[in-house]
Amino acid sequence: MASKKTIIKKIQIVLTKHFETPHDAFNFFDKNGNGKLSKAEVVRLLKEADINGFIRGIVGSKLIEGYDKDGDGKIDWKEFKTAIAEMAKDIK
């Protein structure tokens, strides 16, 4: 299984190489435009980041569990920004 650091690096590569800003990435993955990323939308981001299909669901659940501060089971823009900032610290 990929390490946390490897997963974070892959996510960062997708966010920085394919999008001008983190907000552009958030909007791209927010397919229904409700301002929140569901687990399915987070899993899609992980698929784009080339995270192995076997662990995508697990990682998606853990990301939501770790960053969903309002408890709605989704990641909003504020939570997404927090996640990006924390992930950046984790790979330094």
Side-chain angles (χ1 to χ4, degrees):
M1 179 159 25
S3 71
K4 178 180 177 182
K5 194 170 193 172
T6 300
I7 291 169
I8 291 170
K9 281 184 180 181
K10 287 182 174 189
I11 291 170
Q12 285 191 322
I13 288 169
V14 165
L15 297 180
T16 58
K17 286 195 176 185
H18 300 291
F19 302 98
E20 291 290 321
T21 67
H23 200 259
D24 289 343
F26 181 85
N27 288 335
F28 177 82
F29 290 106
D30 180 18
K31 286 300 183 192
N32 63 5
N34 69 348
K36 297 181 180 216
L37 300 180
S38 66
K39 181 178 176 186
E41 291 166 329
V42 170
V43 167
R44 185 166 178 265
L45 185 156
L46 296 171
K47 183 176 182 178
E48 290 288 325
D50 199 30
I51 304 301
N52 182 299
F54 176 73
I55 62 169
R56 256 183 242 138
I58 296 167
V59 173
S61 293
K62 290 293 182 186
L63 285 172
I64 290 174
E65 182 181 300
Y67 295 107
D68 174 26
K69 301 304 179 194
D70 63 7
D72 66 354
K74 298 178 182 175
I75 302 292
D76 63 26
W77 169 238
K78 184 178 176 184
E79 294 162 340
F80 188 78
K81 286 191 306 186
T82 299
I84 290 171
E86 288 181 15
M87 285 181 200
K89 288 181 202 172
D90 284 347
I91 65 164
K92 287 185 178 181

